[in-house]
Amino acid sequence: MMLRSLPLFALVAGLGAADASSYWVRVMPAAWSVTADGSVAYSEGGGTATRFDLEELDVDNRELAPMVDVQVRFPVLFDIAVGGHRYATDGDATLTRSFTFGGITYNAAERVHTDVDLLDAYAEVLVRLPIPGDLVVAGLGLAGHYVGAEIEVTSQTSGQRERLDEDLPIPAVAARVQLNLPASIGIEAAGHFLAIATDKADGRFLDLRGQVSWRPIPWLGLAAGYRYLSYGVAFETNDQDTDVDLTFAGPYAALVAQF
């Protein structure tokens, strides 16, 4: 019985030895254990905005955010990828100071409820670098993010509520590198970056991910990694002044399916 099983074990081991970059399509659904940090200032109607930290409103929580990355690798030196995640949290806090958000001023000792909802979807086009062999695969290109962000603050004392609701397109420079090790172990890093400054707006954006994956069979495996995501946006219009500085970071676990 044992001798008859050896060819099967050898076949599975041989299949598992395929390098981590040998695929046409790779799908990675993931769960991201992420915490939020940073501050927001927002005013309307020419008023002066008050900067507040997420911690003050008890919305710097750790949440489990769904995340997905889908990559298509072509025989020529060309890759595309799409993906996204959604982070949502809420919190209740008693204010220790007055602050103005939008067109409403919330007073010290007032009880407020805050909802935060962030959707970030991206598309990426990469040109693979002509690196000989299968040990290293790397690419450079461009990415575009669509970010939909909502922050709503409701006074539980007066019932007043104000919402910051913004949809932002973000272009970025993109890069990925993949190291293929024996036993179908892969080490990867990916990043998107933007920095821009004009008379009316300043923006910076950084999305970094690093992960280790293992596929016991060629088409299925697991991955674990860490993601750091930072948004810095400040702009003024005739009746609005917005300054957002937010960071989302934490580990994630993913299923790897590739064909």
Side-chain angles (χ1 to χ4, degrees):
M1 179 67 179
M2 182 178 295
L3 290 177
R4 289 197 300 268
S5 300
L6 287 177
L8 177 60
F9 289 144
L11 176 61
V12 172
L15 290 172
D19 69 82
S21 65
S22 58
Y23 59 84
W24 291 92
V25 178
R26 183 177 72 172
V27 181
M28 290 198 306
W32 185 20
S33 178
V34 55
T35 55
D37 190 20
S39 61
V40 175
Y42 166 55
S43 70
E44 283 187 334
T48 301
T50 306
R51 179 172 295 278
F52 65 87
D53 295 331
L54 298 185
E55 183 179 5
E56 290 184 73
L57 301 183
D58 193 31
V59 286
D60 59 337
N61 306 314
R62 181 175 294 277
E63 301 287 355
L64 200 61
M67 186 171 74
V68 67
D69 181 81
V70 179
Q71 190 171 3
V72 180
R73 177 158 290 170
F74 295 95
V76 293
L77 300 179
F78 181 68
D79 294 348
I80 62 173
V82 295
H85 79 277
R86 183 174 184 180
Y87 173 87
T89 192
D90 65 280
D92 297 294
T94 301
L95 300 180
T96 60
R97 62 187 177 99
S98 298
F99 77 91
T100 299
F101 182 69
I104 297 176
T105 297
Y106 300 85
N107 299 313
E110 199 167 351
R111 188 75 175 169
V112 297
H113 177 81
T114 305
D115 292 289
V116 177
D117 195 337
L118 177 77
L119 172 67
D120 186 333
Y122 62 83
E124 171 187 291
V125 179
L126 291 178
V127 176
R128 294 199 303 276
L129 302 180
I131 301 174
D134 296 324
L135 178 62
V136 178
V137 178
L140 295 173
L142 298 174
H145 284 248
Y146 164 80
V147 179
E150 292 184 7
I151 301 176
E152 184 176 86
V153 181
T154 302
S155 169
Q156 296 177 331
T157 304
S158 66
Q160 295 184 102
R161 69 176 58 187
E162 184 64 274
R163 175 187 293 181
L164 170 61
D165 188 351
E166 293 290 343
D167 297 320
L168 296 174
I170 302 177
V173 176
R176 292 195 188 219
V177 62
Q178 186 172 0
L179 179 63
N180 302 305
L181 301 178
S184 287
I185 295 174
I187 299 176
E188 300 179 46
H192 295 167
F193 170 77
L194 170 73
I196 188 172
T198 68
D199 293 339
K200 291 293 185 180
D202 291 325
R204 57 173 179 77
F205 173 75
L206 184 62
D207 185 1
L208 297 176
R209 278 172 290 163
Q211 72 174 36
V212 177
S213 63
W214 173 62
R215 290 177 300 111
I217 54 178
W219 52 88
L220 195 63
L222 301 171
Y226 191 89
R227 186 179 188 185
Y228 175 89
L229 180 60
S230 177
Y231 305 93
V233 181
F235 61 89
E236 295 182 16
T237 63
N238 293 335
D239 62 350
Q240 183 176 336
D241 184 2
T242 302
D243 190 343
V244 175
D245 185 5
L246 297 177
T247 298
F248 301 86
Y252 65 85
L255 177 68
V256 180
Q258 60 186 55
F259 313 94

